[in-house]
């Protein structure tokens, strides 16, 4: 991933400068834009590997830039926002964001999210085995192992885990999980069933189900399957 081309879109010069220094210091090539229209031009001509887009741009909102990008590009996009409302996070994810980071943020957090998004994008879509957080999901055989030991899952538990694993490191919204696992259901009425099945998965996969780290809840938004254990402090 070293040498990947990152497009940074923000109208605050101080943030652009900070991210330019940090990203270049980690071996990335940096492209910059201060407006949404400029970002779309650069994205189409320079073909970056990933974009970090601020929600509040002077011409068009960052989420609209994302929607336009998704008409022709599947490159990873991380949204930057001062908006911590659940509805805004869901709107960004539903529009096609791979992740979001709330301002003010630490560069360590952003760099970690970038690494995860680039790894996910580099993975082959029809990969027969997905490895994440000590788990091995064998797609062709619908078989799951935890540190090499077989784990017995129900069909719905497996489908949930498979969807989370295919998006490892990314937030998957409750709406996406419900739609892809249960089909055409009322999200408000079916959300309870999702919580129940996530609880079942945690009992089978977590070291301590009361303190889960593999299947992480993003409050009011959805769930994220961790790529690796959290750093010990």
């Amino acid at each position: 991933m070293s040498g990947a081309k990152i497009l940074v879109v923000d109208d605050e010069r101080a943030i652009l400068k900070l991210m330019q220094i940090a990203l270049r210091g980690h071996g990335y090539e940096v492209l910059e834009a201060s407006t949404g229209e400029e970002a779309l031009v650069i994205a189409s001509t320079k073909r970056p590997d990933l974009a970090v887009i601020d929600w509040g741009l002077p011409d068009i909102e960052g989420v609209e830039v994302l929607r336009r990008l998704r008409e022709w590009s599947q490159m990873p996009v991380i949204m930057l926002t001062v908006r911590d409302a659940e509805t805004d996070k869901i709107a960004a994810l539903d529009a096609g964001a791979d992740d979001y980071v709330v301002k003010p943020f630490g560069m360590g957090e952003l760099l970690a999210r970038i690494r995860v998004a680039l790894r996910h994008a580099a993975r082959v879509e029809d990969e027969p085995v997905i490895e994440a957080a000590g788990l091995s999901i064998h797609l062709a055989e619908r078989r799951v192992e935890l540190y090499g030991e077989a784990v017995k899952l129900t069909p719905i538990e497996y489908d949930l885990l498979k969807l989370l694993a295919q998006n490892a490191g990314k937030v998957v919204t409750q709406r996406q999980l419900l739609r892809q696992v249960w089909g055409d259901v009322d999200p408000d009425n079916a959300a309870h069933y999702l919580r129940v099945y996530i609880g079942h998965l945690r009992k089978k996969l977590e070291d301590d189900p009361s303190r889960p780290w593999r299947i992480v809840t993003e409050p009011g938004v959805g769930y994220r399957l961790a790529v690796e254990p959290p750093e010990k402090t």
Side-chain angles (χ1 to χ4, degrees), residues 27-48:
Y28 297 113
E29 180 182 346
V30 181
L31 305 172
E32 296 180 6
S34 57
T35 68
E37 294 293 351
E38 183 184 7
L40 290 167
V41 171
I42 293 175
S44 64
T45 57
K46 302 293 186 179
R47 299 288 177 168

Side-chain angles (χ1 to χ4, degrees), residues 155-164 172 174-185 194 197:
I156 288 180
E157 289 168 356
Y158 174 83
D159 288 342
L160 278 173
L161 180 61
K162 175 185 174 183
L163 185 54
L164 289 169
V172 184
Q174 294 183 34
R175 185 179 305 169
Q176 291 168 330
L177 288 165
L178 290 168
R179 185 175 62 244
Q180 295 193 43
V181 175
W182 277 276
D184 188 16
V185 296
L194 177 57
Y197 278 99

